[in-house]
Short mmCIF file of all heavy atoms in Angstrom, two decimals:
data_model
loop_
_atom_site.label_atom_id
_atom_site.label_comp_id
_atom_site.label_asym_id
_atom_site.label_seq_id
_atom_site.Cartn_x
_atom_site.Cartn_y
_atom_site.Cartn_z
N ARG A 35 -32.99 -54.31 115.89
CA ARG A 35 -32.33 -55.52 115.63
C ARG A 35 -31.11 -55.38 114.65
O ARG A 35 -30.16 -56.09 114.79
CB ARG A 35 -33.30 -56.59 115.02
CG ARG A 35 -34.10 -57.28 116.03
CD ARG A 35 -34.93 -58.42 115.51
NE ARG A 35 -35.57 -58.06 114.24
CZ ARG A 35 -35.21 -58.61 112.99
NH1 ARG A 35 -34.27 -59.41 112.86
NH2 ARG A 35 -35.88 -58.18 111.95
N LYS A 36 -31.37 -54.49 113.76
CA LYS A 36 -30.26 -54.37 112.67
C LYS A 36 -29.54 -53.11 112.59
O LYS A 36 -28.35 -53.06 112.51
CB LYS A 36 -31.00 -54.61 111.28
CG LYS A 36 -31.60 -56.01 111.15
CD LYS A 36 -30.56 -56.98 111.03
CE LYS A 36 -31.21 -58.44 110.69
NZ LYS A 36 -30.27 -59.63 110.74
N GLU A 165 -36.51 -48.61 103.03
CA GLU A 165 -36.55 -49.98 103.31
C GLU A 165 -37.66 -50.53 102.50
O GLU A 165 -38.58 -49.97 102.18
CB GLU A 165 -36.88 -50.25 104.77
CG GLU A 165 -35.66 -50.29 105.68
CD GLU A 165 -34.69 -51.48 105.44
OE1 GLU A 165 -35.25 -52.44 104.96
OE2 GLU A 165 -33.71 -51.49 105.94
N LYS A 166 -37.53 -51.91 102.17
CA LYS A 166 -38.58 -52.59 101.40
C LYS A 166 -39.79 -52.75 102.32
O LYS A 166 -39.70 -52.61 103.58
CB LYS A 166 -38.07 -53.91 100.89
CG LYS A 166 -37.71 -54.98 101.96
CD LYS A 166 -37.40 -56.13 101.31
CE LYS A 166 -38.38 -57.21 101.70
NZ LYS A 166 -38.35 -57.78 102.94
N HIS A 196 -31.28 -55.97 101.64
CA HIS A 196 -30.04 -56.35 102.54
C HIS A 196 -29.39 -57.61 101.99
O HIS A 196 -28.13 -57.81 102.35
CB HIS A 196 -30.49 -56.44 103.95
CG HIS A 196 -31.13 -57.75 104.48
ND1 HIS A 196 -32.51 -57.86 104.22
CD2 HIS A 196 -30.68 -58.89 104.99
CE1 HIS A 196 -32.83 -59.14 104.64
NE2 HIS A 196 -31.70 -59.65 105.23
N TYR A 197 -29.98 -58.40 101.16
CA TYR A 197 -29.25 -59.54 100.59
C TYR A 197 -28.03 -59.17 99.81
O TYR A 197 -27.14 -59.79 99.78
CB TYR A 197 -30.24 -60.44 99.81
CG TYR A 197 -30.74 -61.62 100.71
CD1 TYR A 197 -31.36 -61.30 101.73
CD2 TYR A 197 -30.43 -62.90 100.37
CE1 TYR A 197 -31.81 -62.41 102.66
CE2 TYR A 197 -30.78 -63.95 101.11
CZ TYR A 197 -31.41 -63.73 102.33
OH TYR A 197 -31.92 -64.77 103.09
N LYS A 200 -24.81 -58.97 101.70
CA LYS A 200 -24.18 -60.05 102.20
C LYS A 200 -22.92 -60.48 101.51
O LYS A 200 -22.90 -60.44 100.29
CB LYS A 200 -25.21 -61.32 102.15
CG LYS A 200 -26.40 -61.13 103.23
CD LYS A 200 -27.30 -62.32 103.17
CE LYS A 200 -28.53 -62.17 103.87
NZ LYS A 200 -28.60 -62.31 105.32
N MET A 232 -34.73 -69.70 99.84
CA MET A 232 -34.63 -68.94 101.06
C MET A 232 -35.57 -69.42 102.02
O MET A 232 -36.72 -69.18 101.91
CB MET A 232 -34.84 -67.45 100.66
CG MET A 232 -34.36 -66.49 101.83
SD MET A 232 -35.48 -66.39 103.18
CE MET A 232 -35.15 -64.93 104.01
N ALA A 233 -35.11 -70.28 102.97
CA ALA A 233 -36.06 -70.82 103.90
C ALA A 233 -35.79 -70.52 105.30
O ALA A 233 -34.61 -70.19 105.62
CB ALA A 233 -35.68 -72.49 103.93
N GLU A 234 -36.84 -70.29 106.06
CA GLU A 234 -36.73 -69.93 107.48
C GLU A 234 -37.50 -70.90 108.33
O GLU A 234 -38.61 -71.42 107.87
CB GLU A 234 -37.29 -68.67 107.66
CG GLU A 234 -36.49 -67.41 107.09
CD GLU A 234 -37.13 -66.10 107.19
OE1 GLU A 234 -38.14 -65.75 106.49
OE2 GLU A 234 -36.68 -65.29 108.06
N ILE A 236 -38.57 -70.11 111.38
CA ILE A 236 -39.46 -69.32 112.30
C ILE A 236 -40.73 -69.06 111.54
O ILE A 236 -40.80 -69.16 110.34
CB ILE A 236 -38.74 -68.04 112.72
CG1 ILE A 236 -38.37 -67.27 111.41
CG2 ILE A 236 -37.68 -68.20 113.67
CD1 ILE A 236 -37.97 -65.85 111.63
N ARG A 241 -44.78 -60.09 113.71
CA ARG A 241 -44.79 -59.11 112.51
C ARG A 241 -46.12 -59.21 111.69
O ARG A 241 -46.09 -59.05 110.55
CB ARG A 241 -43.66 -59.45 111.55
CG ARG A 241 -42.25 -59.22 112.34
CD ARG A 241 -41.10 -59.63 111.38
NE ARG A 241 -40.80 -58.69 110.24
CZ ARG A 241 -40.58 -59.19 109.06
NH1 ARG A 241 -40.53 -60.54 108.83
NH2 ARG A 241 -40.33 -58.42 108.07
N TYR A 244 -47.13 -56.24 109.56
CA TYR A 244 -46.30 -56.10 108.21
C TYR A 244 -46.67 -57.20 107.29
O TYR A 244 -46.92 -56.98 106.03
CB TYR A 244 -44.83 -56.02 108.51
CG TYR A 244 -44.02 -56.38 107.32
CD1 TYR A 244 -43.77 -55.44 106.45
CD2 TYR A 244 -43.38 -57.58 107.12
CE1 TYR A 244 -43.01 -55.68 105.18
CE2 TYR A 244 -42.69 -58.00 106.08
CZ TYR A 244 -42.49 -56.96 105.08
OH TYR A 244 -41.78 -57.21 103.98
N TYR A 245 -46.59 -58.44 107.83
CA TYR A 245 -46.67 -59.65 106.99
C TYR A 245 -48.03 -59.98 106.26
O TYR A 245 -48.09 -60.34 105.09
CB TYR A 245 -46.23 -60.75 107.69
CG TYR A 245 -45.72 -61.94 106.80
CD1 TYR A 245 -44.35 -61.99 106.43
CD2 TYR A 245 -46.49 -63.10 106.52
CE1 TYR A 245 -43.92 -63.01 105.62
CE2 TYR A 245 -46.03 -64.08 105.64
CZ TYR A 245 -44.69 -64.01 105.25
OH TYR A 245 -44.27 -64.95 104.43
N ASP A 253 -42.55 -60.59 100.10
CA ASP A 253 -41.59 -60.19 101.06
C ASP A 253 -40.21 -60.66 100.67
O ASP A 253 -39.28 -59.96 100.94
CB ASP A 253 -42.08 -60.97 102.37
CG ASP A 253 -41.14 -60.66 103.51
OD1 ASP A 253 -40.69 -59.53 103.67
OD2 ASP A 253 -40.82 -61.51 104.37
N ILE A 254 -40.14 -61.73 100.02
CA ILE A 254 -38.85 -62.38 99.62
C ILE A 254 -38.49 -62.55 98.20
O ILE A 254 -37.49 -62.20 97.78
CB ILE A 254 -38.70 -63.78 100.40
CG1 ILE A 254 -38.91 -63.69 101.88
CG2 ILE A 254 -37.31 -64.36 100.09
CD1 ILE A 254 -37.87 -62.93 102.69
N ASN A 257 -37.96 -59.29 95.87
CA ASN A 257 -36.66 -58.57 96.03
C ASN A 257 -35.39 -59.45 96.18
O ASN A 257 -34.68 -59.56 95.25
CB ASN A 257 -36.86 -57.62 97.26
CG ASN A 257 -37.68 -58.30 98.34
OD1 ASN A 257 -37.03 -59.04 99.18
ND2 ASN A 257 -38.88 -58.01 98.51
N HIS A 258 -35.32 -60.10 97.27
CA HIS A 258 -34.12 -60.94 97.56
C HIS A 258 -33.76 -61.98 96.40
O HIS A 258 -32.72 -62.06 95.84
CB HIS A 258 -34.02 -61.65 98.93
CG HIS A 258 -34.43 -60.69 100.13
ND1 HIS A 258 -34.07 -59.38 100.16
CD2 HIS A 258 -35.01 -60.92 101.26
CE1 HIS A 258 -34.32 -58.86 101.32
NE2 HIS A 258 -34.96 -59.73 101.97
N LYS A 356 -41.68 -69.61 105.32
CA LYS A 356 -41.48 -69.62 106.90
C LYS A 356 -41.91 -71.02 107.31
O LYS A 356 -42.59 -71.67 106.59
CB LYS A 356 -42.25 -68.54 107.55
CG LYS A 356 -42.03 -67.18 106.86
CD LYS A 356 -41.61 -66.18 107.94
CE LYS A 356 -41.39 -64.75 107.29
NZ LYS A 356 -40.19 -64.25 107.64
N ARG A 361 -33.23 -72.94 108.73
CA ARG A 361 -32.91 -71.66 108.18
C ARG A 361 -31.76 -71.77 107.18
O ARG A 361 -30.71 -72.15 107.50
CB ARG A 361 -32.57 -70.70 109.30
CG ARG A 361 -32.19 -69.31 108.72
CD ARG A 361 -31.85 -68.33 109.92
NE ARG A 361 -31.36 -67.07 109.30
CZ ARG A 361 -30.25 -66.63 109.46
NH1 ARG A 361 -29.25 -67.40 109.76
NH2 ARG A 361 -29.85 -65.46 108.88
N SER A 363 -30.28 -70.23 103.10
CA SER A 363 -30.29 -69.52 101.81
C SER A 363 -29.32 -70.06 100.94
O SER A 363 -28.09 -69.98 101.40
CB SER A 363 -30.32 -68.01 102.09
OG SER A 363 -31.26 -67.61 102.79
N GLN A 393 -26.17 -68.35 103.54
CA GLN A 393 -26.22 -68.45 104.96
C GLN A 393 -27.04 -69.72 105.37
O GLN A 393 -27.81 -70.15 104.55
CB GLN A 393 -26.86 -67.18 105.47
CG GLN A 393 -28.26 -67.08 105.19
CD GLN A 393 -28.88 -65.88 105.47
OE1 GLN A 393 -28.33 -64.78 105.67
NE2 GLN A 393 -30.17 -65.88 105.96
N ALA A 433 -24.73 -57.49 106.69
CA ALA A 433 -25.14 -56.85 105.51
C ALA A 433 -25.41 -55.38 105.85
O ALA A 433 -25.19 -54.42 104.98
CB ALA A 433 -26.36 -57.54 104.97
N TYR A 434 -26.08 -55.20 107.00
CA TYR A 434 -26.53 -53.71 107.22
C TYR A 434 -25.38 -52.84 107.42
O TYR A 434 -25.34 -51.62 107.02
CB TYR A 434 -27.49 -53.69 108.40
CG TYR A 434 -29.03 -53.81 107.91
CD1 TYR A 434 -29.49 -55.08 107.91
CD2 TYR A 434 -29.66 -52.78 107.55
CE1 TYR A 434 -30.79 -55.24 107.38
CE2 TYR A 434 -30.94 -52.93 107.04
CZ TYR A 434 -31.57 -54.13 106.94
OH TYR A 434 -32.91 -54.33 106.54
C1 BG6 B 1 -36.44 -59.68 105.41
C2 BG6 B 1 -37.85 -60.26 105.43
O1 BG6 B 1 -36.25 -58.98 104.27
O2 BG6 B 1 -35.59 -60.82 105.45
C3 BG6 B 1 -38.14 -61.14 106.61
O3 BG6 B 1 -38.80 -59.15 105.46
C4 BG6 B 1 -37.01 -62.23 106.68
O4 BG6 B 1 -39.42 -61.84 106.55
C5 BG6 B 1 -35.62 -61.60 106.65
O5 BG6 B 1 -37.15 -62.78 107.92
C6 BG6 B 1 -34.67 -62.67 106.64
O6 BG6 B 1 -33.30 -62.10 106.52
P1 BG6 B 1 -32.05 -62.90 106.70
O7 BG6 B 1 -30.79 -61.96 106.35
O8 BG6 B 1 -32.08 -63.54 108.02
O9 BG6 B 1 -32.17 -64.02 105.75
#
Side-chain angles (χ1 to χ4, degrees):
R35 278 191 314 111
K36 299 283 185 191
E165 274 289 343
K166 62 176 253 280
H196 79 280
Y197 262 59
K200 292 183 190 277
M232 195 284 199
E234 293 179 281
I236 52 167
R241 294 173 77 222
Y244 160 77
Y245 199 85
D253 185 37
I254 305 291
N257 38 80
H258 305 327
K356 305 241 182 231
R361 176 177 180 256
S363 298
Q393 69 188 25
Y434 271 90

